[in-house]
Amino acid sequence: MGARCRLAAFAAILGATGQIPATAAGRVNEFNHIVVIIQENHSFDNLYGLWGDVNGEAVNGLNNADAVDTRQVEQDGTPYKCLPQLDVNLTSPPLAPTCTGSSNKAPFQSAFANGPFMIDNYIAPKDTTCPPPGARAPKDGIVKGSGLPGGCTRDLIHAFYNEQYQIDRGRQDRYVTGSDAAGLVMGYNDTTKLPVYGALHRPGAPNYVVADAFFHAAFGGSFLNHQWLIAAATPVLCNALNDGSERDLHSIIDSNGMPGPTPFYRSPPGAVTKSGLLTISCDPPPGRPPPAPDSACGDYAVGTFQPFYWPYSPGAAEERRLPPLTNPTIGDRLSAAGIDWAWYSGGWSNAIGDIGAPGWTNGGGPSCADPNADPRPAYPRCPDKLFQYHHQPFNYYASFAPGTAARAQHLRDEAEFLAAANEGTLKPVSFVKPIGGETEHPGFTDESEGDTHLVRLVDAVVNGPQAEDTLIIVTYDEFGGQWDHVPPPPYGRLGAQAGASDQWGPGTRVPA
């Protein structure tokens, strides 16, 4: 391969963590089965910030945030006088304003001080702010009383270049300015009301730890972080167009590293920007700025590409479907070592048209029987409206192409995992990816429903015959655009000793 087709690699597959005590590491051989459950889009403080103690040891949550400056700053570095809000349930009105601020010379009123706030006090878990099944919440949320129950919030931008701007070299103070959701980034959930918190504090609950120094592997969103999860590498679009045309997929960033404006960010006058699916070009065509010395550049896929193989988003243009990848994955390496494994995905049988297989809910045709099926593909391809195609990382690889034995053996439906857990037939390694509506992803699901499903997955193992020798790892793919008070490596208190880092990440701290 040419230089432009080389893969980027990073030291960690699941993220950067603190050291595991030697006594704990010595007990890993007690486990014959590992289950990895991948949830979606929450920072640590947003979801686990109020966890408290685990076995008498304090979790580094929001109780420690008071020791650092949590204030968010405007583009010029001045702290906001109060938090600007855009969500229709958080703006003033309907909330009574307690503060008047301004940004980019535009005044605004707000009911929020410049700091973290508990979302539950304003959008409760049962509030009617959720979209109908299969839909996403609109840009600024759904007004209470006009949606479905669940306390949903909107989705927040979580993008490769935006996140680096938001982290601000470990100051953690530009999350508001770098976001399309403004002050919502500072919201957090009441951890003690989460179903998983209740499940792990009930009598007879399994032993557990909370990893409070765990950071998602690569800056940005779900597509890229799923690739890092299974391959520890940023994919490359070989021979990508680099002519500055409309079909050129490279990003263009301004002198602040931003790929475009947000409600409270403006690029310097005359700057040309573009939020593309690829990193900025290392050799940009005339008229585009050269890359900064510390910026990732080249033909690296950092935006949400669709896979080349079905299932992919119906109607996806071919240039937005990534050609099959050939670099090694954790699946390849497990198989080479003779260790059986599977990636279990919610909705997989429906999506690929595996009629009658575990998880199939669409009958015998001639059309898809499930009312939640996307009507765009033809039967028997019946993906759920919330099936997330870019959450299926192995489907991007030639070694798991349709028709291969590896695909048939290792890419399975989540229903098979639940059956294996109940029956005592777990594989040595299981990756479990719930369907979009059950991943806790803001914007198209409510937190309680996704967390309840997580408990169901954990309980299936804990109550099954292989519980005693099974290790369950729960992780979140990335931060979902939300603030956290702990700087990722190398910006922690120990500097470069806090963990490995490079131009790809790690990003914001996430629950684990």
Side-chain angles (χ1 to χ4, degrees):
M1 293 187 297
R4 290 171 60 195
C5 293
R6 288 181 299 185
L7 286 165
F10 183 57
I13 288 184
L14 292 175
T17 70
Q19 291 185 335
I20 300 174
T23 53
R27 293 196 297 270
V28 170
N29 61 359
E30 296 178 9
F31 299 106
N32 294 317
H33 308 90
I34 297 175
V35 173
V36 182
I37 303 172
I38 306 102
Q39 298 290 95
E40 290 284 317
N41 290 50
H42 287 277
S43 73
F44 189 96
D45 280 338
N46 170 265
L47 204 59
Y48 284 7
L50 300 181
W51 196 282
D53 293 350
V54 178
N55 291 331
E57 294 189 22
V59 170
N60 184 7
L62 287 163
N63 58 315
N64 290 2
D66 292 340
V68 300
D69 190 347
T70 64
R71 293 178 302 170
Q72 298 294 289
V73 301
E74 300 190 46
Q75 187 171 343
D76 64 2
T78 304
Y80 287 96
K81 188 175 180 182
C82 39
L83 277 185
Q85 295 286 7
L86 301 176
D87 188 286
V88 291
N89 297 298
L90 302 178
T91 53
S92 298
L95 301 180
T98 58
C99 172
T100 300
S102 64
S103 181
N104 288 324
K105 300 182 180 179
F108 63 87
Q109 292 187 311
S110 175
F112 296 86
N114 186 354
F117 67 94
M118 187 182 289
I119 295 174
D120 304 53
N121 292 338
Y122 303 92
I123 304 175
K126 294 184 179 180
D127 279 342
T128 50
T129 59
C130 292
R136 288 175 176 266
K139 182 180 71 172
D140 293 325
I142 296 175
V143 176
K144 290 180 187 179
S146 60
L148 298 177
C152 295
T153 62
R154 59 157 291 174
D155 197 2
L156 299 81
I157 191 170
H158 38 284
F160 183 76
Y161 289 109
N162 290 66
E163 185 179 5
Q164 294 172 70
Y165 177 86
Q166 291 173 306
I167 289 171
D168 192 18
R169 304 189 71 83
R171 298 180 184 91
Q172 311 297 98
D173 60 3
R174 287 178 173 170
Y175 282 76
V176 169
T177 301
S179 178
D180 60 350
L184 182 60
V185 302
M186 301 300 289
Y188 61 89
N189 295 271
D190 185 347
T191 309
T192 64
K193 301 293 176 56
L194 296 176
V196 71
Y197 181 91
L200 293 178
H201 286 80
R202 64 192 176 195
N207 295 323
Y208 75 94
V209 296
V210 169
D212 59 3
F214 191 91
F215 304 85
H216 72 90
F219 302 120
S222 295
F223 160 78
L224 184 55
N225 279 281
H226 279 74
Q227 292 299 320
W228 276 82
L229 175 75
I230 69 160
T234 299
V236 175
L237 178 62
C238 291
N239 303 313
L241 198 64
N242 187 40
D243 61 0
S245 69
E246 197 66 29
R247 297 180 63 219
D248 186 338
L249 300 179
H250 291 93
S251 298
I252 309 173
I253 57 176
D254 62 25
S255 58
N256 297 316
M258 282 287 278
T262 70
F264 294 95
Y265 176 83
R266 299 291 180 269
S267 290
V272 176
T273 58
K274 176 183 178 180
S275 183
L277 296 181
L278 300 175
T279 50
I280 59 176
S281 172
C282 294
D283 184 23
R288 290 192 178 185
D294 58 348
S295 292
C297 69
D299 299 340
Y300 294 106
V302 294
T304 304
F305 272 92
Q306 292 294 306
F308 179 80
Y309 305 123
W310 179 263
Y312 52 81
S313 182
E318 187 170 339
E319 61 264 25
R320 292 177 175 267
R321 290 165 54 199
L322 197 63
L325 301 171
T326 58
N327 53 292
T329 69
I330 188 66
D332 299 322
R333 292 177 174 175
L334 286 169
S335 295
I339 300 171
D340 197 12
W341 65 279
W343 177 278
Y344 297 99
S345 181
W348 181 253
S349 291
N350 286 330
I352 65 172
D354 196 357
I355 299 172
W360 176 258
T361 61
N362 280 282
S367 59
C368 303
D370 193 323
N372 289 324
D374 189 326
R376 290 175 291 175
Y379 183 91
R381 294 178 172 179
C382 301
D384 187 273
K385 293 174 182 176
L386 286 179
F387 184 81
Q388 302 300 298
Y389 305 94
H390 61 293
H391 292 178
Q392 318 304 320
F394 288 104
N395 190 41
Y396 288 80
Y397 286 80
S399 55
F400 300 98
T404 61
R407 184 184 183 93
Q409 181 179 356
H410 299 298
L411 306 191
R412 311 302 302 171
D413 195 280
E414 186 192 65
E416 290 189 39
F417 169 77
L418 290 168
N422 290 326
E423 296 165 2
T425 56
L426 286 172
K427 294 178 181 291
V429 178
S430 302
F431 299 95
V432 186
K433 185 69 198 183
I435 200 165
E438 296 172 335
T439 62
E440 304 176 65
H441 192 300
F444 52 78
T445 186
D446 66 85
E447 171 56 38
S448 180
E449 179 179 355
D451 204 75
T452 297
H453 183 73
L454 170 61
V455 172
R456 181 189 176 203
L457 293 172
V458 171
D459 281 350
V461 177
V462 171
N463 296 327
Q466 294 169 312
E468 291 299 322
D469 65 351
T470 300
L471 172 66
I472 305 172
I473 299 170
V474 178
T475 184
Y476 288 70
D477 66 339
E478 38 92 353
F479 75 131
Q482 297 152 347
W483 170 86
D484 190 88
H485 83 275
V486 177
Y491 306 116
R493 287 172 294 181
L494 298 177
Q497 297 178 17
S501 65
D502 60 15
Q503 61 188 344
W504 305 109
T508 304
R509 190 174 62 143
V510 296

